[in-house]
């Protein structure tokens, strides 16, 4: 989506391209922070609790983005989405590694990547 959206977002919110790029930058920065934090969260909470947290955060961020009347709320929504996405990506790999025995992991991880 972010490949084709910037011109439309620039027009709709009347902001320059350097500001719109913060949607991607903010998402990636937050995602990059949440991935290592998930290692701590996995040891602290159950898989179910983390999954529900991640999906709730992603949904809340998506809802904030869909209803955003201004660019600041859109950016906040993207950052909330990244909080959920960072946990979800790491959690999925962890679940795959815990569920499958070592001799089948490479095949499952390969299938997940493609």
């Amino acid at each position: 989506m972010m490949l084709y959206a910037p011109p439309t977002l620039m027009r709709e919110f009347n902001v320059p391209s350097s500001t719109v790029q913060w949607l991607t930058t903010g998402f990636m920065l937050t995602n990059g922070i949440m991935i290592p934090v998930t290692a701590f969260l996995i040891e602290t909470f159950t898989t179910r609790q983390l999954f529900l947290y991640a999906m709730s955060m992603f949904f809340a961020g998506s809802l904030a983005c869909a209803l955003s009347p201004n660019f600041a709320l859109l950016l906040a929504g993207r950052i909330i989405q990244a909080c959920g996405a960072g946990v979800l990506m790491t959690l999925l790999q962890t679940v795959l590694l815990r569920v499958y025995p070592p001799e089948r992991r490479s095949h499952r991880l390969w299938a997940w990547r493609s």
Side-chain angles (χ1 to χ4, degrees):
M1 178 202 80
M2 289 309 299
L3 183 63
Y4 303 108
T8 304
L9 293 172
M10 288 167 50
R11 242 186 345 268
E12 289 294 319
F13 294 115
N14 195 26
V15 292
S17 62
S18 59
T19 303
V20 171
Q21 289 173 353
W22 272 103
L23 292 173
T24 302
T25 304
F27 185 91
M28 295 305 289
L29 283 171
T30 306
N31 205 2
I33 292 168
M34 290 306 296
I35 289 171
V37 168
T38 304
F40 166 75
L41 296 175
I42 286 173
E43 297 298 323
T44 308
F45 300 101
T46 66
T47 303
R48 181 184 180 98
Q49 289 172 327
L50 282 177
F51 178 76
L52 291 174
Y53 162 79
M55 291 303 291
S56 298
M57 291 297 282
F58 195 83
F59 178 75
S62 298
L63 188 61
C65 288
L67 301 175
S68 62
N70 57 37
F71 185 80
L73 187 56
L74 181 64
L75 181 59
R78 284 291 287 170
I79 291 171
I80 294 169
Q81 278 181 333
C83 287
V87 172
L88 202 57
M89 289 187 324
T90 309
L91 189 63
L92 178 60
Q93 289 179 342
T94 302
V95 168
L96 284 174
L97 290 173
R98 285 184 180 175
V99 169
Y100 290 100
E103 61 273 3
R104 294 187 59 204
R105 285 181 187 165
S106 63
H107 181 263
R108 290 296 163 200
L109 287 173
W110 176 81
W112 174 72
R113 294 298 242 175
S114 56

